[in-house]
């Protein structure tokens, strides 16, 4: 092979090798960038999910009036409402607050009509029944 052709062939091989290295580097760069974006996106979604969960969990509970201010009918409804609330998943602090509210409700019902309260407790299923039905002076 004459020297100019050999020189052209060597240059062609070198040029192809350089192009292969550039292409491989570009592909590797794209892989790294894609992986980095995936990681950043995953972290971002994780942060978003956690912050949304914290906002959902930290929703302030409504301020409820003292049970002494509720009518007897509303006390009965409060008993049923808190019964339903305890059936679902609750954070421990929320569960404690609901239990305290129930105790306050029971105390107020008994204070208003001890005999009616005793009739309600003697019923077959007092937990699922509205105690106001058994008390005098509902309203």
């Amino acid at each position: 092979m004459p020297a100019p052709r050999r020189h052209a062939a060597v240059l062609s091989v070198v040029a192809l090798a350089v192009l292969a290295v550039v292409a491989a580097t570009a592909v590797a760069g794209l892989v790294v960038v894609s992986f980095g974006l995936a990681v950043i996106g995953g972290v971002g979604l994780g942060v978003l999910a956690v912050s949304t969960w914290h906002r959902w969990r930290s929703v302030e509970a409504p301020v409820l009036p003292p049970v002494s201010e509720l009518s007897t009918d509303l006390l009965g409804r409060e008993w049923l409402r808190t019964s339903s609330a305890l059936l679902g998943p609750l954070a421990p602090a929320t569960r404690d607050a609901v239990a305290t509210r129930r105790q306050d409700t029971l105390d107020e019902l008994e204070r208003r009509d001890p005999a009616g309260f005793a009739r309600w407790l003697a019923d077959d299923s007092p937990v699922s029944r509205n105690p106001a039905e058994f008390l005098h002076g509902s309203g």
Side-chain angles (χ1 to χ4, degrees):
M1 188 189 269
R5 279 192 172 176
R6 195 174 330 146
H7 184 65
V10 168
L11 285 177
S12 294
V13 170
V14 169
L16 284 175
V18 168
L19 284 175
V21 168
V22 168
T25 303
V27 168
L30 286 175
V31 168
V32 168
V33 168
S34 296
F35 180 74
L37 289 175
V39 168
I40 290 169
V43 168
L45 285 175
V47 168
L48 179 64
V50 168
S51 67
T52 300
W53 181 77
H54 278 290
R55 271 196 309 270
W56 175 77
R57 298 244 338 178
S58 65
V59 170
E60 293 294 321
V63 176
L64 300 173
V67 293
S68 61
E69 294 180 8
L70 298 178
S71 68
T72 303
D73 285 337
L74 287 177
L75 281 172
R77 288 188 210 155
E78 186 69 357
W79 174 259
L80 297 175
R81 182 191 70 78
T82 56
S83 295
S84 295
L86 289 175
L87 295 175
L90 297 173
T94 303
R95 186 169 292 281
D96 289 346
V98 171
T100 299
R101 181 72 173 185
R102 287 171 67 76
Q103 183 61 55
D104 294 345
T105 300
L106 290 176
D107 291 345
E108 183 63 20
L109 287 164
E110 185 176 28
R111 185 193 68 72
R112 289 185 187 186
D113 183 358
F117 186 77
R119 281 192 304 274
W120 173 66
L121 287 178
D123 188 60
D124 289 337
S125 56
V127 172
S128 62
R129 297 274 312 263
N130 185 337
E133 297 171 12
F134 295 84
L135 275 64
H136 296 296
S138 295

